[in-house]
Amino acid sequence: NAGVTQTPKFRVLKTGQSMTLLCAQDMNHEYMYWYRQDPGMGLRLIHYSVGEGTTAKGEVPDGYNVSRLKKQNFLLGLESAAPSQTSVYFCASSSMNFGYTFGSGTRLTVV
Amino acid sequence: KNQVEQSPQSLIILEGKNCTLQCNYTVSPFSNLRWYKQDTGRGPVSLTIMTFSENTKSNGRYTATLDADTKQSSLHITASQLSDSASYICVVTPGDGGYNKLIFGAGTRLAVHP
């Protein structure tokens, strides 16, 4: 089915470990985003991309890096995980004339 | 500061009843307002989108209203079903922003009981 696919769905990390979250979309959307969702708060934008090879910082970028080497993929990296990065991470994609499509999320726990 | 406030935080209703969720925003200028439904363990899915010139939009049993003068929106759910149990998120796009400027409310968690 067309849409946004996130891997993995769940992950537990120890403080200081690194990991990469993968987001893939098959709708040929130009724009892709990474959000985090914490209890009692709205989704907050971490980083976004307006096209292949471009990335930009969002509202809460510290501690994260991203890359968009291919139009369909958007990777979110944590170089040295901290407990404050425990959250649910959502990837989304959109085009100028179409609304957002969200992935199913990755639940990350940092212990 | 641009903010989106939703009320109530949580709500329990019986199957078949109607309910209304509220969204107040301080975003200015304003481009559009969206309502999303988020099932547990899933990503948000769009229900409606309204520009500042629209005051109502329906999607099946879901009807969203918008009063741009008072900066308020509501989502009315008619004849609720068990499958309506989810979080409902109000999202506002500032008029001076774009695709990367969405402002999300914290959501209202709705539980529909049989």
Side-chain angles (χ1 to χ4, degrees), chain B residues 35-46:
Chain B
W35 282 93
Y36 282 86
K37 177 186 180 187
Q38 184 177 18
D39 292 314
T40 300
R42 309 290 296 177
V45 174
S46 181

Side-chain angles (χ1 to χ4, degrees), chain A residues 20-46:
Chain A
T20 300
L21 306 183
L22 173 62
C23 177
Q25 55 100 358
D26 58 5
M27 297 169 287
N28 202 35
H29 284 169
E30 287 295 326
Y31 311 125
M32 297 188 74
Y33 321 82
W34 277 106
Y35 287 90
R36 61 178 290 172
Q37 186 176 39
D38 299 297
M41 302 180 69
L43 274 75
R44 292 181 293 168
L45 183 64
I46 304 171

Side-chain angles (χ1 to χ4, degrees), chain A residues 33-75:
Chain A
Y33 321 82
W34 277 106
Y35 287 90
R36 61 178 290 172
Q37 186 176 39
D38 299 297
M41 302 180 69
L43 274 75
R44 292 181 293 168
L45 183 64
I46 304 171
H47 286 282
Y48 65 97
S49 168
V50 301
E52 181 178 320
T54 72
T55 63
K57 294 180 180 180
E59 181 186 358
V60 289
D62 294 343
Y64 306 95
N65 57 77
V66 289
S67 65
R68 189 153 179 217
L69 300 179
K70 295 183 179 181
K71 185 177 183 179
Q72 64 268 34
N73 295 335
F74 196 29
L75 278 62

Side-chain angles (χ1 to χ4, degrees), chain B residues 8 12 23 33 35 41 45 50 54 69 80 84 90 101 106 113:
Chain B
I12 300 174
C23 173
L33 185 145
W35 282 93
V45 174
M50 293 180 289
E54 297 176 290
D69 291 332
S80 61
D84 292 331
C90 176
K101 297 290 188 183
H113 289 182

